[in-house]
Amino acid sequence: MSDDAAGPGDDRDAGGESRPETAARTALERLGLSTYEAGVFVALEKLGRGTAREIAEATDVPRSQVYGAAESLQERGLLDVQQASPKRFRPVPLSE
């Protein structure tokens, strides 16, 4: 059975991620983000803000890799880091 034959409520890919999230990750990777960077950014767009643990639970990015991906995204101006314990991350709104 192909994906085209899936039922109307079936909006997840084989990895459990929604199709719009998968499409967003693919588009971000085409724009030059790494797989982990794209995963972190998409997770934060969905969560609004979160810790490395929350991001790791929402995506397939290992918690230990969230920090490096988040640092890179911060350098690109795509997310903000709240210096707290634990660190919290949030995507930068498109208007900024």
Side-chain angles (χ1 to χ4, degrees), residues 37 40-41 44 55 66 69-81 88-92:
E37 290 166 347
V40 168
F41 188 79
L44 283 170
I55 295 165
V66 169
E71 182 178 324
S72 178
L73 290 168
Q74 182 183 26
E75 290 171 0
R76 293 172 184 250
L78 296 173
L79 71 75
D80 286 330
V81 178
R88 296 190 65 81
F89 307 96
R90 76 170 182 91
V92 172

Side-chain angles (χ1 to χ4, degrees), residues 3 13 21 32-33 50 54 56 59-60 63 72 83-84 88 95:
D3 284 345
D13 66 11
E21 290 170 8
L33 269 60
E54 292 165 339
T59 188
D60 61 349
R63 187 170 58 132
S72 178
Q83 298 299 328
R88 296 190 65 81
S95 61

